[in-house]
Amino acid sequence: MSPFSKVLVANRGEIAIRIFRTLRELGIGCVAIYSDVDRRAAHVRAADEAYRLGPGPAAESYLRGELVVEAARRAGAEAIHPGYGFLAENAAFARLVEEAGLVWIGPSPSAIELMGSKTAARAAMRTAGVPIIPGAVDPVRSGEEIAALGEELGYPLIVKAAAGGGGKGMEIVRGAADTERAFEAATRQGEKYFADPTVYVERYLEDPRHVEVQVLADAHGHVIHLGERDCTIQRRHQKLVEETPSPGVDDELRGRIGAIAVDAAGAAGYRSAGTIEGLLTREGEYFFMEMNTRIQVEHTVTELVTGLDLVREQVLIAAGEPLSVTQADVVLRGHAIECRINAEDVSAGFLPAPGRITAYEEPGGPGVRVDSGIEAGDEVSGLYDPMIAKLIVHDVDRESAIARMRRALAEFRIEGTPTLVGFHRALLEHPCFAAAGTCVGVIDSPELAQRAEELTQSFSHGTTSVAGGPDGATSTAPRLVDVEVDGRSYEVRLHVTEPPWTALARRRRERGAAGRGGTADGAVVSPMQGTVLTVAVADGDEVAAGQLVCVVEAMKMENEIVAPRAGVVRDLTVAPGSAVGTGQLVCRVAAPA
Ligand code: MV4
């Protein structure tokens, strides 16, 4: 007996496809929605039926709640699953869905609302006896109020936007002289990103681990936890690697933080899958930070160690069924790691790198899972999140899981646009990761970017590798070919002079590759649609290769556009606040005279 006949998934990419898989297993029809640029996207092909989200800018289509509900009505869907991002934590949308007589596969709108306000959530958690990060619960209204808290709590402090979360609108305060600046900056960011200038203050914890606990709660008062995930490996608050169990958590601590998470979900009147995010200090103290009221990107690692399908639990909970397991039934087996495979250029400061995927082969074999939203020939759009796949491995312990992940990463072939595959290979071979350090300073280091580059080039098995001489202008390019000598196979690097047409094609390819922020003629172009936040250069300025030109904000991410080569800035076309489109000229960097 299927709990629903049809469910609409209000999302795109890998998570839409992931949810469809569970729906199919439950005998439920899969309804997709799409923006104009996604008409032929993988999630549309994976669904049973798909509906266009009306005219209007494609960047906003999946945020237009009334169009999503309208599509559900047309399809005759009984429920809506929001996935993550977009409308997943929008209480007004959840209400709209319920008022339309549809089932919302998620927590109650009031629970979403409560957790959306970080100050209200902290107050509710304190009342419930959940340990919150020390600090104030009420908002602060001036730098002076922050200074008063500094007297009381000591420094450092951190000012956070009350409507924030995930790291936007956070300012560290090192001393009394810093309070005014931090107040202004956090207030401005809260206003800009969340349309809410309210900020509050916490004690700043140095070098913590980011440890979150997965919970499940049904409509019958049952709440359980499924252990923790460690999400310490981040860059500018974007998670890159997640694993479970956390290297910082033993059985005793797991019992303690599990109970904290269950109490927190109970106090919020929570229903569905949710996550208690917290910080773990070096001294082993654990504090509640915020609750995510959605299925998360990294839910997969929990699925591998528990053997449960969290999306299935969400669907059954929404249909009014009790949890399929009790706390005593939950067994955590082995170790799981997830690497997020984004279309980003590590050597260009993790700049999103939209473009066409020309070749795509996923890894496989024992203990390997790939959740992806792309196939060879697909275009990674600059309008959405650049994550194209998640690679998840499971093995008996952490060391074996790392070895398995390194093996699987080496099998992953993605061509046409740069990805984080090389970065993950470099990180997972780094001693800081093996030692379960927080890897702060390593993730952003030029050494890691360099190693990522080497590992990316060494992969191009059987294909012409890039650029010969230092200026890329050589007529010989090393070619990797397979030869067989005396019945044994060898890979040989040939340094042969290319025929003119091959050299031409290669140079064209390389110019295309340089197109992410720059081209061979020195043009600096925006790789994505967005808004210019700051411009770091003026016409006539001399710049070095790699020097910051401007910052473009897109998808709430700040992306640094850098000079593709040394030279002089000419034809600067942007100013702070300018809207830029994909491929739009920002300026030229003319070769120095
Ligand atoms: C903190 C913190 C230290 N003290 N809060 C919040 C959002 C998340 N992306 C990082 N956040 C932090 N909140 C207090 N009171 C430090 C961080 C933090 C962090 C935490 C764990 C792992 C990596 C991190 C990187 C930057 C900031």
Side-chain angles (χ1 to χ4, degrees):
M1 253 292 285
S2 296
F4 303 110
S5 60
K6 276 187 197 177
V7 169
L8 180 144
V9 175
N11 217 299
R12 65 185 301 281
E14 70 86 17
I15 191 63
I17 294 168
R18 155 76 190 87
I19 296 165
F20 290 153
R21 286 184 160 133
T22 290
L23 296 177
R24 287 245 157 75
E25 292 175 13
L26 291 171
I28 300 172
C30 301
V31 183
I33 51 177
Y34 59 89
S35 68
D36 285 356
V37 301
D38 275 348
R39 189 166 282 123
R40 309 178 63 100
H43 78 279
V44 171
R45 302 195 295 262
D48 299 318
E49 51 190 302
Y51 295 83
R52 178 187 179 216
L53 287 167
E60 283 139 43
S61 298
Y62 297 97
L63 294 167
R64 295 180 59 187
E66 74 290 358
L67 294 184
V68 176
V69 169
E70 176 56 28
R73 232 199 299 261
R74 277 182 69 194
E78 293 168 321
I80 294 184
H81 193 306
Y84 53 71
F86 296 125
L87 296 166
E89 292 177 283
N90 185 318
F93 177 64
R95 273 199 193 97
L96 190 69
V97 170
E98 292 187 344
E99 281 162 13
L102 299 163
V103 174
W104 166 250
I105 302 179
S108 68
S110 61
I112 299 175
E113 218 153 50
L114 173 69
M115 293 305 170
S117 163
K118 307 304 154 187
T119 44
R122 276 166 67 78
M125 292 304 116
R126 190 180 55 179
T127 304
V130 170
I132 57 174
I133 299 177
V137 162
D138 294 327
V140 289
R141 278 156 309 204
S142 67
E144 279 152 42
E145 285 190 27
I146 298 173
L149 283 166
E151 288 292 307
E152 189 187 319
L153 299 163
Y155 292 98
L157 296 175
I158 184 166
V159 187
K160 296 184 176 181
K168 274 281 171 221
M170 284 184 6
E171 292 293 326
I172 300 169
V173 192
R174 291 285 168 191
D178 219 15
T179 54
E180 204 55 52
R181 178 208 58 80
F183 176 78
E184 296 297 335
T187 300
R188 194 162 12 87
Q189 292 204 44
E191 179 72 66
K192 192 170 93 185
Y193 289 107
F194 312 107
D196 181 354
T198 314
V199 298
Y200 68 102
V201 170
E202 290 174 355
R203 190 76 235 279
Y204 180 70
L205 309 172
E206 301 277 359
D207 205 21
R209 294 199 80 89
H210 183 137
V211 175
E212 60 186 30
V213 182
Q214 177 71 53
V215 296
L216 287 178
D218 65 18
H220 307 274
H222 307 116
V223 187
I224 63 171
H225 76 86
L226 303 179
E228 78 284 1
R229 293 184 287 260
D230 192 303
C231 312
T232 304
I233 305 295
Q234 308 185 359
R235 182 184 177 275
R236 302 205 180 168
H237 311 300
Q238 300 291 317
K239 294 171 184 172
L240 293 168
V241 180
E242 302 100 344
E243 63 181 308
T244 185
S246 166
V249 175
D250 60 15
D251 287 344
E252 187 270 327
L253 185 54
R254 178 165 309 109
R256 230 170 69 213
I257 67 180
I260 289 171
V262 167
D263 287 348
Y270 201 77
R271 183 194 70 218
S272 192
T275 301
I276 304 298
E277 285 200 37
L279 296 182
L280 179 64
T281 67
R282 268 171 291 190
E283 292 72 40
E285 301 163 291
Y286 187 77
F287 299 112
F288 170 89
M289 184 160 61
E290 55 190 69
M291 182 170 190
N292 296 321
T293 56
R294 60 170 190 273
I295 192 80
Q296 288 188 276
V297 173
E298 62 271 28
H299 74 279
T300 56
V301 291
T302 300
E303 291 188 324
L304 293 186
V305 300
T306 59
L308 293 170
D309 177 337
L310 295 187
V311 174
R312 183 196 290 164
E313 296 298 324
Q314 284 187 300
V315 173
L316 297 179
I317 290 166
E321 293 189 25
L323 294 180
S324 73
V325 286
T326 66
Q327 189 69 60
D329 296 329
V330 175
V331 181
L332 305 174
R333 257 186 69 252
H335 199 100
I337 308 177
E338 171 177 275
C339 288
R340 297 190 188 196
I341 311 298
N342 300 345
E344 288 176 359
D345 190 344
V346 175
S347 54
F350 291 74
L351 196 65
R356 193 164 302 280
I357 302 294
T358 52
Y360 184 81
E361 286 166 36
E362 292 180 348
V368 174
R369 166 173 168 180
V370 182
D371 281 17
S372 59
I374 203 106
E375 285 166 30
D378 285 355
E379 176 104 17
V380 179
S381 165
L383 295 179
Y384 308 110
D385 190 303
M387 190 177 75
I388 52 182
K390 306 186 301 206
L391 172 57
I392 315 106
V393 302
H394 186 213
D395 210 326
V396 292
D397 57 22
R398 187 169 194 268
E399 198 185 338
S400 319
I402 292 173
R404 179 160 278 174
M405 180 60 88
R406 292 176 62 187
R407 184 272 292 174
L409 284 164
E411 284 181 18
F412 217 148
R413 175 172 174 227
I414 309 175
E415 284 168 25
T417 174
T419 72
L420 296 189
V421 169
F423 165 83
H424 286 299
R425 293 180 69 185
L427 180 66
L428 267 73
E429 73 173 21
H430 198 284
C432 87
F433 191 83
T438 54
C439 301
V440 172
V442 170
I443 290 157
D444 256 318
S445 67
E447 292 72 29
L448 205 71
Q450 174 61 37
R451 184 67 186 135
E453 186 76 8
E454 285 166 24
L455 286 163
T456 302
Q457 312 230 334
S458 75
F459 179 76
S460 40
H461 178 93
T463 61
T464 308
S465 61
V466 294
D471 58 358
T474 175
S475 59
T476 69
R479 246 173 103 76
L480 284 176
V481 291
D482 292 321
V483 298
E484 204 177 276
V485 180
D486 213 7
R488 178 173 170 187
S489 170
Y490 295 86
E491 196 175 74
V492 175
R493 181 161 301 198
L494 290 183
H495 296 269
V496 291
T497 305
E498 293 172 286
W501 60 87
T502 318
L504 193 70
R506 176 172 57 78
R507 266 185 250 117
R508 204 172 278 146
R509 248 193 334 269
E510 284 162 17
R511 266 204 300 279
R516 296 178 289 276
T519 58
D521 65 351
V524 179
V525 297
S526 177
M528 77 280 291
Q529 175 182 305
T531 308
V532 175
L533 285 183
T534 53
V535 179
V537 298
D539 264 323
D541 280 4
E542 253 183 63
V543 291
Q547 190 176 325
L548 182 68
V549 171
C550 65
V551 178
V552 174
E553 187 216 318
M555 302 287 300
K556 295 191 177 173
M557 280 282 292
E558 293 179 10
N559 303 286
E560 296 182 345
I561 312 291
V562 300
R565 63 174 179 194
V568 179
V569 175
R570 301 274 181 233
D571 306 331
L572 185 67
T573 64
V574 299
S578 304
V580 288
T582 307
Q584 184 177 327
L585 183 77
V586 168
C587 67
R588 280 177 218 289
V589 177

